[in-house]
Amino acid sequence: MLVYHLPGTFETREDHLDLLWEAGATGLEERAGLIRAYFDEETELPEAIRDGEWRQEADQDWLAEFKANLRPVQAGRVTIVPPWLRAEIPATQVGLVIEPGMAFGTGHHATTRMAVEALSDLNLDGQTILDVGTGSGVLAIAGALLGAEYALGVDIDPITIPIAEENARDNAVPEGRTAFMVGTLGDDLPGDVVADGVFDVLVANLYAELHDLLVGAYVGHLRPGGPLILTGILTGKLPLVQGALDREGFTDVQVRTDGEWALVTARA
Ligand code: SAM
């Protein structure tokens, strides 16, 4: 088995993960400060990721190993697990089952965990939620499981929609409590539940530059006083997001961080 050992973690080398996939990696794994990229054959790599080392290793079932290493993630009142760890959800917690797959959002990334935590800090009973960049649907589904009447997840990547729908079914979210659609803010949102496109809560795990661009649209989709939860923000980019929120008149701006990642909450 051919493995390329790249120093760093998924977080510190986030920008380089696509380069590994594009170069033909068949799988990526993070272990002990190294990214392990599996390849069928040695290949010319782009400059930015040439600081690693090719290694021939004894064959192993890396997928089985990846799965075996996954642990439940606690995020406030919610515990996120893959399907085979359902039994490990504490009775006092809201269980959220996410099958690790093609869409971002297993709960193991700091941004997802902080966003679920921020949702779990709110009283969501009977509320409507807009989840921009839904990925696996994890945030919309968490919202529904925490009592929201309706959570709409939108994502520009069509691959995410059936995955999010399947995750909602796996969590036995009642029909009509979540909906997922390809798109972004500015597109027509389905008006059957939230006719005016104005939601009680808006959550978005994207990135700082996109929040800066979309913050005006967030105002238009959030009821006055409604909570805004933004993450996917590197701590170094916090001033960009805080400046954008100031510009649009958001109040009660608060920041929490986990390593190099930040989450910002504010009120419309
Ligand atoms: N919400 C999940 C979570 O918190 O784990 C997934 C977040 S993932 C970091 C970001 C998602 O946003 C991706 O699925 C991506 O396709 C989507 N995305 C990127 N730009 C977008 C945009 N302009 N509008 C809607 N979705 C977008």
Side-chain angles (χ1 to χ4, degrees):
M1 181 178 51
L2 183 63
V3 188
Y4 186 65
H5 285 197
L6 186 66
T9 66
F10 286 163
E11 281 187 18
T12 60
R13 303 214 51 164
E14 196 192 11
D15 294 346
H16 295 159
L17 302 182
D18 277 351
L19 297 178
L20 288 164
W21 290 119
E22 281 159 18
T26 55
L28 299 182
E29 188 187 17
E30 177 192 311
R31 211 191 297 166
L34 270 186
I35 295 172
R36 297 163 51 81
Y38 295 81
F39 283 86
D40 291 333
E41 57 187 28
E42 209 166 308
T43 177
E44 180 81 11
L45 296 172
E47 181 74 36
I49 52 171
R50 270 193 220 144
D51 53 324
E53 226 184 290
W54 290 101
R55 296 270 182 92
Q56 272 296 346
E57 294 184 359
D59 271 352
Q60 61 175 350
D61 184 343
W62 69 268
L63 184 58
E65 197 159 319
F66 163 72
K67 288 184 165 187
N69 285 329
L70 280 182
R71 301 305 313 144
V73 173
Q74 189 182 334
R77 290 182 280 146
V78 180
T79 297
I80 311 167
V81 292
W84 57 93
L85 293 182
R86 274 178 205 268
E88 296 197 22
I89 300 168
T92 51
Q93 287 285 101
V94 173
L96 170 48
V97 178
I98 297 287
E99 174 80 50
M102 301 279 286
F104 188 106
T106 58
H108 290 82
H109 197 272
T111 57
T112 311
R113 193 183 48 68
M114 284 193 289
V116 174
E117 216 169 70
L119 285 169
S120 121
D121 287 347
L122 301 171
N123 178 359
L124 294 174
D125 286 344
Q127 302 276 288
T128 58
I129 302 177
L130 179 58
D131 170 18
V132 187
T134 196
S136 65
V138 57
L139 304 181
I141 297 167
L145 295 175
L146 287 164
E149 175 200 324
Y150 175 69
L152 172 65
V154 299
D155 201 295
I156 48 168
D157 184 351
I159 205 175
T160 61
I161 303 305
I163 295 171
E165 287 169 346
E166 193 171 335
N167 280 324
R169 276 193 298 276
D170 281 354
N171 283 282
V173 175
E175 192 71 20
R177 295 271 295 281
T178 52
F180 299 97
M181 63 168 266
V182 181
T184 188
L185 294 185
D187 294 353
D188 281 342
L189 303 179
D192 39 352
V193 179
V194 179
D196 52 4
V198 176
F199 290 75
D200 296 313
V201 179
L202 193 154
V203 61
N205 183 357
L206 298 166
Y207 51 93
E209 290 81 356
L210 194 49
H211 291 314
D212 180 38
L213 285 175
L214 290 179
V215 79
Y218 296 156
V219 178
H221 284 286
L222 195 52
R223 72 164 162 77
L228 176 72
I229 301 169
L230 303 182
T231 189
I233 304 162
L234 287 163
T235 49
K237 302 270 174 69
L238 269 168
L240 181 65
V241 177
Q242 286 164 314
L245 293 171
D246 274 357
R247 192 173 70 225
E248 295 295 338
F250 279 90
T251 58
D252 194 16
V253 177
Q254 294 185 28
V255 175
R256 61 184 89 170
T257 58
D258 183 338
E260 63 182 339
W261 293 103
L263 174 137
V264 179
T265 55
R267 296 262 166 193

